[in-house]
Amino acid sequence: MIGKLKHYFACGNTARGFQNFFESNLADLKKVYILKGGPGTGKSTLMKRIGTQYLKEGYDIEYIHCSSDPDSLDGMIVRSLSFGIVDGTAPHVIEPTVPGAVEEYVNLGVAWDTQLLKRATRNIKDIKEQITECYNNAYERFHKALEIHDEWEKIYIQNMDFGKAEEMGDYLLEQIFSSVESKEKGKIYHRFLGGSTPYGAMDYVENLTEGLNTRYFIKGRPGSGKSTMLKKLLKKAEELGLTTEVYHCGFDPDSLDMLIFPELSLCIFDSTAPHEYFPADDHDIIIDMYEDCIKPETDENNAEALEDIKKRYKAMIDEGIYYLAKAKALHDELEQYYVRATDYEVVDAIVGDLIENIEDHIEEENNK
């Protein structure tokens, strides 16, 4: 029986710059292999190869995608076997907790023809500087979009019935947690369900929520209390000791987009654009913050202002995406220098040694 594959981001290109949530996802693993080496050395291919092997053996696998290139992986975790493999190159640098015992470095850079790379030093440095400039420009545009988004939220906050929002939060606390007994502290994983990529906004909501018994779809507008309600639920889950997957907003990581409670087979998420979904069966429940908590006809009464805000917001987001796409094109160009300088027979030998190391780790765990 083939295992289940879960997809998410642990890092994001956001309105608050580059955000890294790797730490919470690796914290409870007994073995973490940190890959070193530049672009084009086969890090993502290596992770997919090993992930596919264990998936076919029936293990559930987590693929941590790269937000700057979603077709590539930043990490791969087999949680039931307590090991993971991650890309340890900038910008998602992994801080070891117990080097050698828990974290082990795997250097793919030994497969390089360094003389070939030296001859391309000037070009490599120039491309890397351009890439950095592109990301800085993208973050600047996203931050401006966040300021515009604050204008958007203000309209709904001014028309918000906070008493009703509080009642709705209390109702959900009762519905979700009334039969849950307190226990020891559960694990909290911080992630992104989606975000801004060179291809535009994308998400893994369908994959992440597949097979859950209950799904709450929160509808509403910016500023209608969706994230605040999720934070209230998260606080209660932590008090009860529930293991929780916390999915931050890929645009503003200070906000939350989704909570998954695996032990309850339940999720609740912000189901508005750019990750808008609709109920598929009787187990899907809509929570409409706009209908229940916002003054009637707020959209109509503020139509002109809202239209202007949406246009300015979209323009800034589109500019940010443009720079992410430009950065990816430059990265693809940079990658070619390393592809030409890499001896993939050496890489294959490293992969073989890594697989043996992983099998040794699994055997040790089984013998404990």
Side-chain angles (χ1 to χ4, degrees):
M1 179 181 176
I2 195 167
K4 183 178 179 181
L5 190 56
K6 177 180 288 188
H7 302 273
Y8 58 88
F9 296 116
C11 298
N13 296 303
T14 80
R16 302 187 190 279
F18 182 79
Q19 297 290 311
N20 184 344
F21 288 131
F22 255 111
E23 184 178 350
S24 73
N25 292 284
L26 304 178
D28 58 334
L29 299 179
K30 294 181 180 178
K31 198 69 178 179
V32 177
Y33 300 94
I34 302 176
L35 304 181
K36 292 293 186 179
T41 50
K43 297 187 295 297
S44 178
T45 301
L46 181 159
M47 288 185 273
K48 289 178 181 177
R49 174 177 166 182
I50 294 176
T52 299
Q53 173 185 323
Y54 284 97
L55 190 70
K56 289 179 178 178
E57 291 178 16
Y59 294 99
D60 291 345
I61 309 296
E62 297 174 21
Y63 274 179
I64 305 174
H65 291 261
C66 173
S67 57
S68 296
D69 180 6
D71 293 331
S72 294
L73 298 183
D74 278 348
M76 186 280 295
I77 295 174
V78 188
R79 204 163 291 280
S80 62
L81 298 176
S82 198
F83 82 88
I85 308 172
V86 294
D87 183 341
T89 58
H92 31 70
V93 177
I94 312 301
E95 291 295 334
T97 56
V98 190
V102 176
E103 294 86 8
E104 186 171 326
Y105 288 99
V106 179
N107 185 11
L108 298 175
V110 298
W112 289 335
D113 180 338
T114 55
Q115 294 303 313
L116 193 61
L117 290 174
K118 282 180 181 178
R119 290 196 288 271
T121 297
R122 182 176 295 180
N123 289 343
I124 290 172
K125 284 185 175 180
D126 179 58
I127 293 172
K128 291 181 75 173
E129 287 173 2
Q130 291 182 63
I131 290 173
T132 298
E133 184 179 356
C134 282
Y135 281 116
N136 289 338
N137 282 326
Y139 299 149
E140 180 184 343
R141 267 54 174 197
F142 291 152
H143 184 73
K144 288 180 179 177
L146 182 59
E147 292 175 342
I148 296 169
H149 197 271
D150 288 342
E151 295 178 42
W152 199 348
E153 288 187 344
K154 188 177 179 181
I155 291 174
Y156 293 102
I157 291 171
Q158 290 173 338
N159 289 277
M160 181 90 166
D161 186 328
F162 291 97
K164 287 185 178 179
E166 190 74 18
E167 288 176 9
M168 186 171 289
D170 291 339
Y171 166 77
L172 284 171
L173 285 172
E174 176 67 20
Q175 289 293 112
I176 295 172
F177 302 121
S178 60
S179 61
V180 178
E181 295 182 2
S182 297
K183 59 175 186 172
E184 292 183 10
K185 184 178 181 180
K187 296 180 176 68
I188 304 295
Y189 302 108
H190 293 274
R191 303 165 175 170
F192 294 104
L193 59 81
S196 299
T197 79
Y199 311 119
M202 65 170 293
D203 67 79
Y204 295 112
V205 169
E206 288 185 297
N207 168 263
L208 291 167
T209 66
E210 182 184 9
L212 295 176
N213 290 340
T214 307
R215 302 191 301 175
Y216 286 92
F217 294 62
I218 310 176
K219 301 294 183 178
R221 306 288 190 277
S224 59
K226 300 185 299 295
S227 177
T228 299
M229 186 164 65
L230 289 173
K231 289 177 180 177
K232 184 173 183 177
L233 296 174
L234 173 59
K235 182 180 178 182
K236 184 62 177 179
E238 289 181 296
E239 291 172 359
L240 292 169
L242 277 176
T243 291
T244 308
E245 297 173 17
V246 183
Y247 293 89
H248 294 252
C249 173
F251 172 62
D252 178 6
D254 290 347
S255 294
L256 302 184
D257 272 349
M258 178 165 70
L259 302 175
I260 295 180
F261 307 112
E263 294 152 295
L264 306 181
S265 190
L266 182 149
C267 76
I268 178 166
F269 70 101
D270 179 340
S271 181
T272 58
H275 35 78
E276 184 174 20
Y277 291 89
F278 298 93
D281 57 42
D282 293 339
H283 299 291
D284 293 339
I285 303 161
I286 288 181
I287 303 295
D288 195 327
M289 302 295 287
Y290 179 79
E291 182 178 328
D292 294 339
C293 305
I294 303 294
K295 187 184 298 183
E297 299 185 354
T298 294
D299 283 348
E300 293 79 0
N301 294 337
N302 295 274
E304 188 174 339
L306 288 169
E307 185 64 26
D308 173 65
I309 288 170
K310 289 176 185 177
K311 285 181 179 179
R312 289 187 286 121
Y313 175 77
K314 183 179 184 302
M316 281 296 106
I317 292 293
D318 287 347
E319 285 188 28
I321 296 297
Y322 164 79
Y323 282 110
L324 290 184
K326 187 175 179 182
K328 184 186 181 304
L330 287 164
H331 188 275
D332 291 345
E333 184 180 340
L334 177 67
E335 193 173 72
Q336 291 308 306
Y337 286 100
Y338 288 90
V339 168
R340 289 191 290 268
T342 299
D343 183 337
Y344 287 99
E345 288 186 5
V346 175
V347 172
D348 285 341
I350 293 171
V351 173
D353 290 342
L354 176 57
I355 291 172
E356 287 185 17
N357 196 313
I358 292 170
E359 290 298 323
D360 288 342
H361 156 72
I362 294 170
E363 186 175 349
E364 287 176 12
E365 290 302 308
N366 289 337
N367 290 333
K368 286 183 179 179

